Amino acid sequence: MKAAAKATSNIAFIKYWGKKDEALRIPANSSISMNLSNAYSITSVELSKNLKKDQVYLNSKKAEEDEYTRIVKHLDLIRALAKSNLFAKVKSRNSFPKGTGIASSASGFAALTLAATKAFKLNLSQKKLSILARLGSGSACRSIPPGFVEWVKGADSKTSYAKTLYPPSYWDILDIVAIVGESKKEISSTKGHSLTGTSPFFNKRIADLPQKIKDIKKALKFKDFTKLGTIIEEEALNMHAVMLTQRPPLIYFNSSSLSIIREIYEMRKKGIEAYFTLDAGPNVHIICKAPDAPKIKKILKNQKIVKKILVNKPGNGTEII
Ligand code: PMV
């Protein structure tokens, strides 16, 4: 009664920011993402009759109380589905620093969902796994299916899940993450989501998104990289405009993030077609075509503020290992 799963994190091209239903994590809008081959979580779940409560270790350390509570809540859902009262030992590790804008909760809850359902001998479809992962962390539902993914917002819990638009091999584009900060964010994205309505720009953002989603799907279909990158950048700034104008304001990026963004503008002037996006953290995700990667890496390596570089191809989603 032990299972382990590997889940890739994902970067949103069209962001999820704000929920229609807080408890069920039903988003205010649909979103589109790419899984990240080198940013992943590996999670094992071992059930035992000898355990009196769940045990959770994250990156070899005992989970902090808030993390423990959230993970146990997720295990409770799975226990209820399996009609079991067995406790679990959960061990999870990430290939990247958590809480810094590479969605650790996405890969973490996706891997936990698959590993735990397997350990409890539930054989769920990809759609059901995506729905279940969503209940742990919204963006986790997008890490279940492989490749380029759409999370359809849906009308209720059963219709809000993610599915593959194109497999990882569809398009040879990369997400190069320039890691400029590794400290944990002060305000979690869960808290941030709940206050989106306090921004005067939120309703306008939501009203404009259906057209933006149509446009980005077209860019993906025709592999129009310029269109794709332009939408990705506009969308990141649009989400951050909402974050900045929430009460309290959320400033997830820092001066290093802005320096890298300036550097990307310079790259474009030199003919390197690269675009940025940012999530709820300071690290900058650089979306580029694979042949441009060596030049971009060289430029980033010359920047003192860049602590690490993580190169990701379109990733596989969540798999049993
Ligand atoms: O699933 P959460 O609560 O970690 O939401 C994350 C939302 C963003 O990363 C900021 C955007 C996105 O769509 O991934």
Side-chain angles (χ1 to χ4, degrees), residues 95-314:
S95 68
F96 56 91
K98 68 182 163 129
T100 55
I102 305 174
S104 57
S105 65
S107 53
F109 275 97
L112 176 68
T113 301
L114 183 59
T117 52
K118 279 283 170 204
F120 280 107
K121 300 214 166 4
L122 292 165
N123 265 320
L124 302 186
S125 65
Q126 191 184 79
K127 175 176 165 181
K128 286 204 168 127
L129 286 168
S130 178
I131 292 170
L132 196 51
R134 191 201 77 229
L135 294 166
S137 174
S139 53
C141 77
R142 293 191 311 235
S143 283
I144 296 284
F148 299 87
V149 168
E150 178 175 17
W151 173 8
V152 183
K153 66 176 175 173
D156 53 23
S157 192
K158 284 189 181 145
T159 51
S160 186
Y161 65 97
K163 55 188 181 196
T164 295
L165 291 172
Y166 299 100
S169 60
Y170 174 71
W171 201 359
D172 207 4
I173 61 175
L174 302 176
D175 174 6
I176 301 181
V177 192
I179 298 185
V180 293
E182 299 196 10
S183 59
K184 204 176 159 185
K185 55 187 169 245
E186 277 161 32
I187 299 184
S188 71
S189 51
T190 301
K191 181 99 210 296
H193 278 290
S194 68
L195 295 166
T196 46
T198 59
S199 163
F201 303 143
F202 181 65
N203 288 341
K204 170 72 177 143
R205 165 173 168 74
I206 295 299
D208 290 346
L209 273 169
Q211 185 58 46
K212 226 192 244 180
I213 289 174
K214 270 191 200 149
D215 292 344
I216 203 163
K217 279 183 160 174
K218 210 163 140 192
L220 280 168
K221 183 172 175 189
F222 294 107
K223 297 189 180 170
D224 181 342
F225 188 68
T226 306
K227 184 94 200 143
L228 181 89
T230 306
I231 298 174
I232 286 175
E233 272 192 11
E234 275 178 18
E235 168 59 1
L237 293 173
N238 189 294
M239 176 182 73
H240 280 274
V242 169
M243 290 169 160
L244 288 170
T245 49
Q246 290 184 203
R247 287 198 202 110
L250 297 176
I251 309 177
Y252 282 129
F253 52 84
N254 61 25
S255 57
S256 302
S257 327
L258 294 175
S259 297
I260 302 294
I261 289 173
R262 294 261 167 238
E263 204 51 59
I264 294 168
Y265 291 155
E266 288 304 312
M267 287 182 203
R268 288 219 286 272
K269 282 190 205 152
K270 289 181 206 144
I272 303 170
E273 206 180 0
Y275 298 90
F276 70 83
T277 185
L278 293 164
D279 274 346
N283 299 318
V284 184
H285 294 250
I286 303 168
I287 310 298
C288 66
K289 293 184 199 159
D292 285 328
K295 279 180 267 175
I296 296 171
K297 274 171 38 188
K298 197 170 161 205
I299 294 172
L300 292 177
K301 278 187 184 149
N302 284 330
Q303 307 285 319
K304 280 204 191 86
I305 49 173
V306 177
K307 295 185 182 144
K308 237 184 259 168
I309 299 169
L310 200 64
V311 181
N312 298 283
K313 295 179 185 169

